[in-house]
Amino acid sequence: MIRHLLSAADLDAATATQILDTAAEMATVAGREVKKLPALRGRTVVNLFYEDSTRTRISFEAAAKRLSADVINFSAKGSSVTKGESLKDTALTLQAMGADAVVVRHPASGAPHRLADWVDGSVVNAGDGTHEHPTQALLDAYTMRSRLGRLAGLHVAVVGDVLHSRVARSNVLLLSTLGAKVTLVGPPTLIPVDIAAALAPGTDVSYDLDVVLPDVDVVMMLRVQRERMKDSYFPSAREYARRYGLDGPRMRRLPEHAIVMHPGPMNRGMEITPEVADSPRSTIVEQVANGVSVRMAVLYLLLGGNKL
Amino acid sequence: MTAYLITNVSVVGAAPTDLLIRDGVVAATGAGLSAPDATVVDGTGLVALPGLVDLHTHLREPGREDAETVESGSRAAALGGYTAVCAMANTSPVADTAGVVEQVWRLGREAGLVDVQPIGAVTVGLAGERLAELGAMADSAAQVRIFSDDGHCVADPLLMRRALEYVKAFDGIIAQHAEEPRLTEGAQMHEGEVSTRLGLTGWPAVAEEAIIARDVLLAEHVGSRLHVCHVSTAGSVEVLRQAKARGVRVTAEVTPHHLLLTDVKATTYDPVYKVNPPLRTATDVAALRVALAEGVIDIIATDHAPHAVEDKECEWAYARPGMLGLETALSIALDVLGPQWELIAERMSRAPARIAGLDSHGLDPAPGVPANLTLVDPAARWVVEPAELASHSRNTPYARMTLPGRIVATFLRGEPTVLDGKAVK
C-alpha cells in the first residue's frame, strides 16, 4: 500500500480497486446498530483544514471515528495559523504530537506534497487549491460502480469549471486508470491547456454539452462560482446556465440508465436545476454517504489497520 | 601593491602564456615572463577570462539584509568569477533616488570585492505610475545608466515610451521586465501541460512576448536603447530576431536557469524552482541556447535572487520567486555551451560591459588593460552544497548537482578577490 494519498495518480488500478472493495465492506458498518470498528484504535488522525469545508471535514471525521481512531481537528481559524505559523512549523507540531495520519485541506496547490516532506505519518490530500481531491474521485468512482455495476468502458462527462476544479483533475486521473473514458465539457475559457497530455491521453474535450449528453453513462456537474464572470471566463451566470447548465430538457437527452453526479455544494439554478438535482438519476446524496465509506477505506489501508 | 605573475595560462582559450599584473593593469603578456617581485600563480590548465559582468543581480540591501547584503553578494560574485555586477533597484527603500543608488554604490566600494553598479528604478517605488528622477540618478556618484523596474513590468505604454525617450539625454538604457501584468495575475508557473497537471495558475509565454513586441516597436519609434531582461520563451527569441534584423537598438539577456531547467521541476512543488519569468519547456530551452549562440540573445545574466529560508520553505503559491545564480553561472554556461571560451567571454563579460557602459570591464587581458579577470579550471568538477555558498541565502536550484568548471582566482584592478578558489576577504 502507498504511504500518502496526494494525487489520484498515486493509485494504480489494483490499489484503486482495493480501496473501492474495502469501501464496500466499510459500507456494511453504516447499516449496523453500532457503527464502529476497532481497526484504528489508539491511532491519531489529524484533520488539518486551512479552508472552510464542513462537509469534507465531517466526512473524514466520521470515517476516522468509525474506525475508532482518535481525531484531532486542527482548523486554520482560531489557531496559531492565523498568527502566521508556517506550514512547516505546524507540520513539526503535528509530528511531535504523534499524528499517524494528517488529512489536509489547503487553498494552495501542492501544500499536501510539502507537508509529506515534513511529517512521518501518512498525508491524505483532502483538496489542495486547484490541484486535486483524490478521495472525492474515489467516492465518485465508488458511486458509479455501485449504480452502474462497472467502471471499465463507462463514458463520463465532467461539465463546468474544469480549470479551477480539483475534483475534475482527480476524476480524470482515476477514471482513466480504471478504464473509463472522460469527456470534459465547458466553455473554452474554463478548460485548461493541454489537459489530455497533462492528465490522461484519450481524454476528450467538448464545448457543446447537448452533443455529448446522449452518449454518456455519467454526467458530473462541477460547481461554478458566479464570481468567475468578473474575470471574463463567461459573460454572465445566465448565459453560463443556458449553455452549460443541466436542466430537465437536457437531462432527458441522457440515455435511460445514465446518472447525474455533483460533488457539492451545488449552485442550484447555475450549473444544475432543482428538477435535476432532486431527480432519481441524481446520486448527490449517495455520494455523501459513500464518502464516509471510501475515506474509512483510505485511512484503514494507509494506516495498515488491524484485520476487520 | 603586490604584483602577480600568472604562468602558463590560456587567455580565452588561446595557447598558454604568462600574464604579469602590476599596478592594477596587465603589465605584460607572453611566454617566459620573469618578475622576481611578483607572486606567482600557476595557471597551468587554467583559462583566463575577462572578469565576468552581471547585468542583473539582486543584492537585497537596503531592506532585506537577512537574504543578502552588498558585501555577501559581492563575495558570491567574486567567487563566481565576476568583477562587476549591476544591482537591481527593487530594494526597500527602492533605488529610485540619487540617495539610494549612491548608498548601494558606496556599500559596493566598501566591500571592495566587485564593482557594484547600481541600476535605478524607472518609476517611483516601482509603482509604474510616474518616472523616478532618472537624471538625478545619472548625475549622482553612482552614474546610473541602466534603469529597470525589474520584478515589475513598465506596463503602461506611454510611460515606457517616455522613459525610453528621456534616458537618451544621458545615453541611458531601459531594462524591461517583460510581463504583461493582466495576463499573469496570480501566475505561479509556465502555462502548459505541467501547470494544468499541478493545478498552478499559468504564466503564459505570450505575456512576455507581447511586451517585448510592443517595446521593440516603441524603441524603434523613438530611436532609444532597450534591454530585455531574462528572455525565457522561443516566441520572444523570434520577436527579438526580427527586431534586430530591422536594426532596432535592442539587447537581451538569458539566465543560466532558463538555459538548463524546465517547468517539469515544479512537479515537486518545491518553491526553490519558482522563479519569474518561470522555467519554461524543453522547446524554449533549445531555442534560447540557439539564440545565445547566434547572438540574438546578447548576454547571460544571472538574475541572482537571494531569498530567506522562510520565503522558500513554504507552499509554492506563497513563496517568493527567484534563484541564486552568481556562484554557479559560469559552471552552467560551461555545461550548456561547452568550452567555447570566446563565446563565453563575449556573452558573460564583453557584451554586458558594453551594454552597461562599464569601460574598465569586459576587456581581454592584454598589456595596459585594467586587470579585471578571472581564472577558470575547466577540468574541475564540483558539487553544489547550498550551505557552502557565500550568499546569505540557500535557494539554489542546483543543490547537490555536480557542475563543471571552478573559479580558481579573480582579480579586480590587479588585486585578487579570490585566490585558490577562496575569497580573500
Side-chain angles (χ1 to χ4, degrees):
Chain A
M1 191 61 195
I2 55 175
R3 183 166 140 223
H4 306 294
L5 180 57
L6 305 177
S7 161
D10 296 342
L11 302 169
D12 59 20
T15 309
T17 304
Q18 185 190 9
I19 293 172
L20 299 183
D21 292 345
T22 307
E25 292 182 53
M26 295 297 179
T28 64
V29 177
R32 294 186 199 166
E33 194 177 341
V34 178
K35 298 181 177 58
K36 211 159 173 98
L37 293 171
L40 297 184
R41 202 164 59 191
R43 314 295 290 276
T44 301
V45 175
V46 175
N47 285 324
L48 178 60
F49 274 57
Y50 287 82
E51 266 185 358
D52 287 329
S53 173
T54 308
R55 68 172 57 217
T56 303
R57 186 182 57 75
I58 61 177
S59 181
F60 271 105
E61 186 172 353
K65 284 181 170 169
R66 282 184 193 174
L67 292 168
S68 305
D70 295 318
V71 179
I72 297 170
N73 287 316
F74 192 117
S75 160
K77 287 204 173 113
S79 76
S80 54
V81 172
T82 49
K83 296 179 201 129
E85 181 172 85
S86 72
L87 182 65
K88 184 173 183 182
D89 287 331
T90 301
L92 297 179
T93 302
L94 300 179
Q95 178 68 24
M97 292 192 314
D100 295 294
V102 179
V103 176
V104 60
R105 163 68 66 99
H106 200 291
S109 299
H113 288 73
R114 300 292 284 157
L115 198 61
D117 289 338
W118 297 321
V119 299
D120 291 336
S122 293
V123 175
V124 180
N125 181 358
D128 62 328
T130 54
H131 178 225
E132 285 210 48
H133 193 359
T135 61
Q136 177 72 42
L138 283 164
L139 77 87
D140 289 338
Y142 182 91
T143 304
M144 291 176 213
R145 197 176 75 164
S146 32
R147 273 285 190 113
L148 301 170
R150 68 194 164 96
L151 287 164
L154 289 184
H155 185 191
V156 180
V158 178
V159 184
D161 184 359
V162 177
L163 180 64
H164 299 97
S165 177
R166 50 199 175 207
V167 175
R169 280 176 182 73
S170 288
N171 262 294
V172 169
L173 289 165
L174 184 67
L175 287 168
S176 69
T177 298
L178 293 171
K181 177 183 176 52
V182 178
T183 299
L184 299 166
V185 185
T189 47
L190 291 176
I191 305 290
V193 298
D194 296 336
I195 182 90
L199 297 179
T203 304
D204 278 346
V205 171
S206 171
Y207 308 132
D208 189 337
L209 181 56
D210 289 317
V211 167
V212 172
L213 287 176
D215 187 44
V216 299
D217 304 293
V218 178
V219 57
M220 182 184 299
M221 305 306 295
L222 301 172
R223 178 179 170 81
V224 177
Q225 293 178 11
R226 289 169 198 274
E227 302 78 59
R228 297 285 179 217
M229 69 187 197
K230 289 184 196 144
D231 295 325
S232 301
Y233 287 108
F234 46 83
S236 68
R238 189 167 57 187
E239 173 157 325
Y240 180 86
R242 200 157 54 223
R243 292 179 68 86
Y244 295 104
L246 191 60
D247 58 8
R250 279 214 170 102
M251 180 174 67
R252 286 182 275 282
R253 296 175 66 85
L254 288 165
E256 195 68 28
H257 68 277
I259 59 173
V260 175
M261 307 183 72
H262 193 298
M266 286 181 282
N267 275 321
R268 287 179 184 249
M270 180 73 180
E271 69 268 4
I272 194 165
T273 63
E275 180 191 357
V276 177
D278 300 332
S279 77
R281 289 175 183 275
S282 162
T283 64
I284 294 162
V285 178
E286 276 166 71
Q287 285 172 265
V288 176
N290 293 340
V292 177
S293 304
V294 161
R295 286 163 182 140
M296 287 172 75
V298 167
L299 290 172
Y300 174 77
L301 292 169
L302 284 182
L303 295 183
N306 303 321
K307 286 261 179 250
L308 286 175
Chain B
M1 211 171 183
T2 313
Y4 289 88
L5 179 61
I6 306 166
T7 58
N8 202 28
V9 68
S10 163
V11 176
V12 197
T17 185
D18 296 346
L19 291 176
L20 180 62
I21 296 173
R22 195 194 293 280
D23 297 329
V25 298
V26 177
T29 65
L33 291 183
S34 168
D37 62 323
T39 303
V40 175
V41 176
D42 183 4
T44 306
L46 306 185
V47 175
L49 296 174
L52 307 183
V53 176
D54 192 18
L55 209 67
H56 193 147
T57 311
H58 296 274
L59 294 177
R60 300 296 184 223
E61 188 176 6
R64 284 306 298 265
E65 291 81 356
D66 58 327
E68 196 80 287
T69 60
V70 171
E71 186 187 347
S72 67
S74 292
R75 190 171 294 114
L79 286 163
Y82 287 88
T83 52
V85 299
C86 298
M88 272 297 173
N90 63 337
T91 48
S92 177
V94 171
D96 58 1
T97 62
V100 178
V101 294
E102 284 189 350
Q103 181 194 358
V104 172
W105 176 76
R106 186 174 46 75
L107 289 167
R109 300 250 302 190
E110 286 168 6
L113 288 156
V114 289
D115 283 348
V116 174
Q117 173 57 55
I119 292 174
V122 177
T123 67
V124 175
L126 309 176
E129 288 163 1
R130 58 197 172 90
L131 290 182
E133 289 189 346
L134 309 180
M137 290 187 272
D139 295 341
S140 74
Q143 298 185 52
V144 176
R145 289 296 177 273
I146 305 176
F147 298 89
S148 181
D149 275 3
D150 181 62
H152 301 268
C153 183
V154 181
D156 180 333
L158 180 67
L159 204 53
M160 186 61 183
R161 177 207 165 135
R162 296 282 189 251
L164 285 165
E165 283 180 310
Y166 190 79
V167 300
K168 286 162 78 172
F170 34 85
D171 196 28
I173 184 167
I174 304 295
Q176 175 70 296
H177 170 117
E179 174 183 358
E180 166 51 54
R182 285 282 285 155
L183 288 173
T184 55
E185 283 176 17
Q188 296 294 330
M189 67 172 295
H190 173 66
E191 179 178 295
E193 187 184 319
V194 182
S195 69
T196 290
R197 181 159 63 245
L198 299 183
L200 290 170
T201 306
W203 197 128
V206 67
E208 175 174 305
E209 294 152 7
I211 291 293
I212 298 176
R214 181 201 76 176
D215 286 354
V216 295
L217 292 171
L218 285 174
E220 186 172 29
H221 181 62
V222 298
S224 295
R225 290 168 72 204
L226 168 70
H227 178 73
V228 183
C229 296
H230 42 51
V231 170
S232 70
T233 81
S236 297
V237 168
E238 286 316 302
V239 172
L240 289 165
R241 192 189 303 279
Q242 290 172 24
K244 287 193 161 188
R246 283 203 312 279
V248 180
R249 297 170 74 198
V250 59
T251 53
E253 73 191 32
V254 63
T255 70
H257 47 273
H258 286 112
L259 289 170
L260 188 69
L261 308 175
T262 68
D263 60 344
V264 174
K265 288 284 184 190
T267 305
T268 59
Y269 288 101
D270 183 343
V272 77
Y273 300 112
K274 179 173 173 175
V275 64
N276 193 17
L279 300 177
R280 303 287 184 184
T281 68
T283 306
D284 295 301
V285 168
L288 293 169
R289 290 181 178 194
V290 170
L292 184 68
E294 292 177 347
V296 172
I297 290 175
D298 302 81
I299 65 169
I300 294 175
T302 66
D303 196 4
H304 177 82
H307 285 298
V309 170
E310 65 271 22
D311 291 326
K312 283 292 191 182
E313 215 167 52
C314 60
E315 297 86 331
W316 180 282
Y318 306 159
R320 289 176 183 269
M323 302 172 164
L324 298 184
L326 286 170
E327 291 170 79
T328 46
L330 183 78
S331 289
I332 302 299
L334 263 177
D335 191 48
V336 168
L337 300 171
Q340 300 186 67
W341 300 110
E342 185 58 33
L343 187 66
I344 288 172
E346 183 65 23
R347 299 287 183 261
M348 298 186 78
S349 177
R350 298 178 202 140
R354 275 198 305 274
I355 293 167
L358 298 172
D359 297 335
S360 65
H361 292 272
L363 303 170
D364 289 1
V369 158
N372 297 317
L373 57 98
T374 189
L375 304 182
V376 187
D377 179 357
R381 296 179 72 78
W382 62 295
V383 177
V384 181
E385 287 297 342
E388 292 173 9
L389 297 175
S391 172
H392 276 176
S393 294
R394 298 288 168 258
N395 55 304
T396 172
Y398 313 112
R400 283 165 291 285
M401 280 175 64
T402 301
L403 298 179
R406 182 101 225 203
I407 301 296
V408 174
T410 306
F411 291 85
L412 177 65
R413 281 184 289 279
E415 290 292 321
T417 54
V418 173
L419 273 182
D420 296 328
K422 293 181 180 65
V424 296
K425 57 176 171 179

